[in-house]
Amino acid sequence: MKPTDSSLLEQMQISEVEIQNRMALLGLDEAGLDLIAKQRGLIEEEVDSIVNRFYEIQTEVDEIASLIGDTETLNRLRAAQRRYITDLFLGVCDSDYVNNRLRIGMVHKRIGVEPKLYLSAVSTLKDLLFELLSHHLKDTQQLAATLAALDKLFYFDTTLIFDTYIASLVGEIELAKRKTEDYAKSLEQKVAERTRQLEKQTRLDGLTGIYNLRAMQDILHRELLVAQRRESKLCLVYIDLDNFKQINDSEGHLKGDEVLKCVAKILLASIREVDAACRYGGDEFCLILPDCDADNAYLVCQKVIENFLQHYQDFSLSMGVVQTGPKSYYSDEQIIKLADERMYLAKEQAGCSIYQAEN
């Protein structure tokens, strides 16, 4: 249930039992309420003069005058104060009465009436009412009992008003806490996302967008350990773009960059999701193919060459393929060195070529 769907009484979980407990704590009983109710006629006759005198006193306080602000607001407050005073002398403290008092407290909190100002207003009103009753009630015992009961009723009202102050403050604190938590969570997400972006940038080659040398070394080391643990095969393909310097010299660096980026796209399009395409440096690339033997790596290389020749028939690629496992395994350095050597053997052949050998 939304707060707006329930009364203040329900929101603050004040039951009939709680109302009776509060009255008992303050010594406010039905007999006292009856004494107060007997003065209802007198109060209704004098309520306008009480309200007028009340606001004459209140508006002498600069803080209160600034809160009231204008005549229209003052007139609304006068009307509300008349209802408040007449309700005091109804002689009942039922749920409607309590809910009305809670609402008054909430309004005071919302418009910025500090507790000290509220207590000052209560003191002023009580003095005016006590003065009126003292003037009209000649029976001293009845007067004393009525004033005592009215004093307890003012305390009863004040407990309700302050409950709304406290509840409102707690609500503001909870709201601020949620906003802070939401902001912190949002900030954490932004930091985490930025961290992922930075980590990604440090692992990717700036030109081609595939893994750089640092990332390749990490991936190769990890995959070799996995292969040994699983006793599976792993292939490394070392790729070189032949005569790349001649491409840069004859057609310019922009053309060279275009070819490098195209090679990277072709590599990504030719491998599985578990594989890794890396730029080793300059015009050299590597493919890390986990759980893959030399024959299947050869097929991958053929696919790369076919796609490459569709874009650049005048250029060529040289590839060296090395398989490690499942019986024995090369180290990181050994498999790279061997794949590099086989790539150079492939260069001895004209055009695009692949060199692999028995492991």
Side-chain angles (χ1 to χ4, degrees), residues 8-187:
L8 282 171
L9 201 71
E10 293 169 329
Q11 290 178 37
M12 300 183 65
Q13 300 178 340
I14 298 179
S15 63
E16 291 288 347
V17 173
E18 171 63 13
I19 293 172
Q20 294 302 315
N21 286 340
R22 290 188 183 218
M23 290 176 63
L25 284 171
L26 296 169
L28 181 62
D29 54 22
E30 293 300 328
L33 292 175
D34 288 342
L35 283 173
I36 295 171
K38 288 179 180 180
Q39 308 307 317
R40 183 176 179 183
L42 170 63
I43 296 302
E44 288 179 348
E45 290 178 6
E46 301 292 336
V47 65
D48 285 333
S49 62
I50 295 171
V51 170
N52 289 337
R53 180 61 184 144
F54 174 81
Y55 279 107
E56 285 176 8
I57 297 170
Q58 287 291 288
T59 52
E60 290 175 359
V61 180
D62 291 340
E63 289 180 86
I64 296 175
S66 64
L67 282 173
I68 294 174
D70 55 59
T71 303
E72 185 179 349
T73 302
L74 180 58
N75 289 335
R76 287 200 303 270
L77 290 173
R78 287 177 185 275
Q81 187 71 331
R82 287 189 190 94
R83 289 193 299 272
Y84 178 82
I85 294 171
T86 53
D87 285 352
L88 279 173
F89 291 85
L90 289 175
V92 294
C93 282
D94 57 12
S95 58
D96 287 338
Y97 179 91
V98 170
N99 196 66
N100 183 50
R101 269 24 186 181
L102 293 172
R103 191 182 306 113
I104 291 171
M106 189 63 70
V107 170
H108 277 72
K109 176 64 179 66
R110 285 174 179 168
I111 64 177
V113 178
E114 297 179 39
K116 65 179 182 181
L117 298 179
Y118 175 79
L119 290 175
S120 171
V122 169
S123 177
T124 299
L125 178 60
K126 187 164 68 171
D127 287 344
L128 291 172
L129 291 173
F130 276 30
E131 181 182 344
L132 176 67
L133 293 172
S134 298
H135 181 72
H136 284 82
L137 288 177
K138 303 306 180 183
D139 186 324
T140 56
Q141 290 186 341
Q142 183 187 8
L143 174 62
T146 302
L147 295 183
L150 186 57
D151 191 48
K152 292 172 184 177
L153 184 56
F154 270 116
Y155 275 116
F156 179 80
D157 282 7
T158 301
T159 66
L160 297 171
I161 301 297
F162 273 69
D163 275 357
T164 57
Y165 269 88
I166 294 169
S168 180
L169 288 172
V170 170
E172 290 173 5
I173 292 170
E174 289 296 326
L175 179 60
K177 180 182 176 183
R178 286 195 297 271
K179 287 183 177 180
T180 301
E181 289 173 349
D182 291 344
Y183 175 74
K185 185 177 179 180
S186 172
L187 193 60

Side-chain angles (χ1 to χ4, degrees), residues 160-301:
L160 297 171
I161 301 297
F162 273 69
D163 275 357
T164 57
Y165 269 88
I166 294 169
S168 180
L169 288 172
V170 170
E172 290 173 5
I173 292 170
E174 289 296 326
L175 179 60
K177 180 182 176 183
R178 286 195 297 271
K179 287 183 177 180
T180 301
E181 289 173 349
D182 291 344
Y183 175 74
K185 185 177 179 180
S186 172
L187 193 60
E188 287 175 3
Q189 291 173 343
K190 289 179 181 178
V191 170
E193 178 60 27
R194 183 56 180 161
T195 300
R196 285 192 293 269
Q197 291 174 354
L198 291 173
E199 288 177 349
K200 185 176 180 181
Q201 289 174 6
T202 61
R203 292 172 60 82
L204 298 183
D205 176 62
L207 176 66
T208 62
I210 61 176
Y211 289 117
N212 57 24
L213 175 58
R214 176 184 173 184
M216 174 192 157
Q217 291 169 334
D218 292 341
I219 295 169
L220 180 60
H221 182 74
R222 183 185 69 240
E223 292 299 337
L224 282 172
L225 292 176
V226 172
Q228 292 177 60
R229 186 171 66 250
R230 296 178 178 174
E231 297 183 350
S232 60
K233 303 169 185 176
L234 179 143
C235 278
L236 179 69
V237 179
Y238 201 112
I239 306 166
D240 182 77
L241 182 57
D242 297 328
N243 302 314
F244 182 68
K245 185 176 183 301
Q246 182 179 343
I247 297 173
N248 279 332
D249 291 344
S250 60
E251 301 192 42
H253 288 281
L254 290 178
K255 181 64 175 181
D257 289 348
E258 174 199 304
V259 176
L260 293 174
K261 288 189 281 189
C262 184
V263 171
K265 289 181 181 178
I266 291 170
L267 295 179
L268 289 174
S270 305
I271 60 176
R272 304 166 298 175
E273 189 174 345
V274 296
D275 302 329
C278 314
R279 185 182 181 190
Y280 193 78
D283 60 340
E284 297 175 324
F285 299 83
C286 285
L287 294 178
I288 301 172
L289 309 174
D291 198 22
C292 178
D293 59 24
D295 291 337
N296 283 309
Y298 187 86
L299 295 176
V300 172
C301 293

